[in-house]
Amino acid sequence: MINLNKYGWTPVLDQQKQNTIHSALSHGRITIVHRTCCEVISRDGIFLCELAGNMMFGKSDDELPCVGDWVIFQPFEENKGIIVDMLPREKTLYRKKNGTLADKQMIASHIDKAFIVQSLDDNFNARRVERFMVQIKEENINPVLVLNKSDLAFDREKIDEVIKHLSNQLPIFFTSIHNPETILQLRESISEGETVVFVGSSGVGKSSLINTLCERTVLLTSDISQSTGKGRHTSTRREMVLLEGSGILIDTPGIREFGITVDDSGSLEEILDISDYTELCRFKDCTHTNEAGCAVLKAVHDGNLDIKVYQSYLKLKREALHFSSSEHEKRKKMRAFSKIVEEAKNNKANR
C-alpha cells in the first residue's frame, strides 16, 4: 500500500473529500496527463484513468485535471478507472495560452515551491526570471532561483548585478550536477511532502537536476548538442516523481514563451523592487511614463534603477492590463451566454 502522505495528502484534503458525494470512492494524485487519460497514484497503486462525461464536457480547458491535482475516481478494471470529481485547486501555476487573449494553460497544481531554473551560459535571461516570478507569486507559490551549470565559466559579479533587484525576494542556488555539494544543498531545501515544480526554458538542465536529486534516472535526458553546446529539449510532458525521504518533484517541458495571467499589475512594483520609488511619485495615479515629478523616471535617469528592469516593468504591466481587460470581457460574455441558456430553460419549462 502506498503512503499518500508522501505525495502531499493532508487532513484538509481528506476533509474536502468527505464533504463530497463520492467520499466512499478512491482518491489519488495525477502524476502524468496524456492526451485522453491521466495516470493517478493512489494507495492501491497507479491507475490509468479517463474522465467521466460530466467532467470532460462540463468544464473549460483550464478547469480540466492537470498534474498535481487530487481527484476522486472509480476503479473498474485492474489499474484502470474513471475520474468523477476533483478536489478544490490551490496554488496552481498557469501561463497564458499561446495565441489567445485571456485563455490560461495549467502547468501544475498544489505547488509549494517553484524552482526557476536558469543555466549559466548564453541561455541566462534575467527578464525571463522576472516573468516567472510575477506569475509564481500571483498564485502564492514560493519562488526559488536555481542557477544551474555553475561548473561552466561565468562572471559571478555580472550575474549578481543583473539579479540584485530580485535577490532579497527569493533563495538563490548555484548548482552543477558535477558538484554533489551544490545538489545536496538544493535537496535540503525541499521538505517531506512538499511539492516543487521545475520551470525554465529548454536546455537549462531541469531533468538532469531531478535525476541527480533522486540519485537515479527517473526522467529522460539528451546529450549536449555538438553544434550549439546546449542540452537538447527532452521533456515533452509534465511529470511527477517522488524524492525519497523528501518532497515531490514535477518536471515541465521547456517553455519558450511564458505569457503572464496576472489580474492586478500593482504587484509588479514590489516584485521588481521599484515600490520604494513609486511611493515617492508626485501623483498617486502616476503611470511612470511621462509625468512630471515621477520618482521612477528620476531613478532611471540618475542610474539608481536599471533601465532594463524599468523597461521590463512597463512591458509586464501592459501584458497584465491587457490580460485583465480581456479576461473581464470574456467573463462578461460568459455571463450573458449563461443568462440566455437559463432563459431558454425557463421558457421550455413553462410551455
Side-chain angles (χ1 to χ4, degrees):
M1 184 174 292
I2 295 173
N3 181 3
L4 288 183
N5 293 338
K6 292 183 177 181
Y7 285 87
W9 185 251
T10 66
V12 172
L13 290 167
D14 187 65
Q15 185 59 54
Q16 290 175 348
K17 180 190 175 185
Q18 298 309 315
N19 293 337
T20 72
I21 61 174
H22 306 294
S23 59
L25 296 181
S26 301
H27 64 270
R29 195 171 190 189
I30 294 179
T31 59
I32 301 175
V33 174
H34 299 288
R35 186 178 297 274
T36 59
C37 59
C38 306
E39 291 185 26
V40 177
I41 184 135
S42 74
R43 65 180 184 176
D44 297 319
I46 296 177
F47 285 75
L48 193 63
C49 295
E50 298 178 354
L51 296 181
N54 66 320
M55 293 197 68
M56 181 178 296
F57 303 110
K59 293 181 179 293
S60 61
D61 287 348
D62 60 357
E63 293 175 324
L64 295 174
C66 70
V67 171
D69 278 332
W70 287 96
V71 296
I72 301 174
F73 67 97
Q74 171 69 66
F76 68 89
E77 285 183 13
E78 184 178 0
N79 300 120
K80 290 185 179 181
I82 297 289
I83 295 174
V84 298
D85 203 355
M86 186 171 73
L87 298 183
R89 268 190 187 139
E90 293 183 359
K91 297 185 176 182
T92 304
L93 186 58
Y94 297 94
R95 69 163 174 165
K96 187 173 75 68
K97 196 171 183 179
N98 292 345
T100 67
L101 295 176
D103 291 333
K104 296 190 290 187
Q105 180 181 16
M106 302 87 69
I107 295 177
S109 69
H110 294 279
I111 303 301
D112 298 296
K113 290 179 180 174
F115 283 6
I116 307 169
V117 185
Q118 290 268 288
S119 56
L120 291 165
D121 52 18
D122 293 339
N123 213 325
F124 179 79
N125 188 319
R127 308 288 80 80
R128 193 176 294 130
V129 176
E130 292 164 354
R131 280 183 170 277
F132 281 122
M133 274 193 65
V134 167
Q135 191 65 49
I136 289 165
K137 286 202 166 189
E138 171 78 1
E139 303 299 333
N140 294 316
I141 300 169
N142 295 319
V144 176
L145 179 56
V146 179
L147 298 176
N148 197 30
K149 303 184 182 180
S150 59
D151 55 297
L152 301 176
F154 67 96
D155 188 334
R156 176 64 182 263
E157 289 187 4
K158 181 180 178 180
I159 296 294
D160 289 342
E161 178 64 23
V162 297
I163 61 173
K164 66 179 181 180
H165 62 299
L166 306 174
S167 57
N168 64 338
Q169 301 185 61
L170 78 174
I172 300 174
F173 292 88
F174 287 80
T175 61
S176 168
I177 61 173
H178 304 296
N179 187 343
E181 180 64 27
T182 64
I183 303 300
L184 179 61
Q185 291 173 356
L186 193 63
R187 183 185 178 116
E188 290 175 345
S189 73
I190 305 170
S191 302
E192 186 171 359
E194 193 171 55
T195 300
V196 177
V197 63
F198 286 65
V199 294
S201 57
S202 178
V204 297
K206 300 187 302 297
S207 299
S208 296
L209 267 178
I210 290 177
N211 286 339
T212 308
L213 282 166
C214 293
E215 298 180 330
R216 68 187 193 282
T217 300
V218 292
L219 299 173
L220 294 176
T221 60
S222 291
D223 296 330
I224 298 297
S225 168
Q226 296 299 315
S227 60
T228 65
K230 300 179 182 179
R232 297 187 183 94
H233 173 68
T234 301
S235 299
T236 58
R237 63 188 183 190
R238 297 163 187 87
E239 186 168 352
M240 177 190 296
V241 297
L242 180 66
L243 181 58
E244 286 296 335
S246 187
I248 306 101
L249 312 181
I250 298 177
D251 189 25
T252 62
I255 299 174
R256 294 180 180 177
E257 180 182 342
F258 191 82
I260 61 173
T261 64
V262 177
D263 287 328
D264 179 15
S265 62
S267 61
L268 297 174
E269 298 170 1
E270 182 179 350
I271 293 172
L272 297 182
D273 199 28
I274 65 173
S275 56
D276 287 345
Y277 299 120
T278 60
E279 292 173 358
L280 298 175
C281 290
R282 180 185 300 176
F283 306 107
K284 289 185 178 180
D285 59 349
C286 184
T287 64
H288 320 302
T289 54
N290 55 15
E291 293 89 345
C294 175
V296 175
L297 291 174
K298 185 177 187 302
V300 174
H301 181 269
D302 294 344
N304 296 323
L305 175 60
D306 188 333
I307 190 170
K308 291 183 179 180
V309 175
Y310 169 70
Q311 291 171 340
S312 178
Y313 163 74
L314 293 181
K315 184 175 182 179
L316 291 170
K317 185 176 181 179
R318 283 195 299 270
E319 287 187 31
L321 291 173
H322 186 65
F323 176 83
S324 179
S325 60
S326 299
E327 177 73 3
H328 175 75
E329 187 63 28
K330 187 172 96 172
R331 289 173 182 169
K332 184 178 177 181
K333 290 180 179 178
M334 286 300 295
R335 285 195 297 269
F337 178 72
S338 298
K339 185 177 180 180
I340 292 172
V341 172
E342 191 64 29
E343 289 176 350
K345 289 181 178 179
N346 292 335
N347 292 335
K348 185 176 180 180
N350 293 330
R351 286 176 184 173

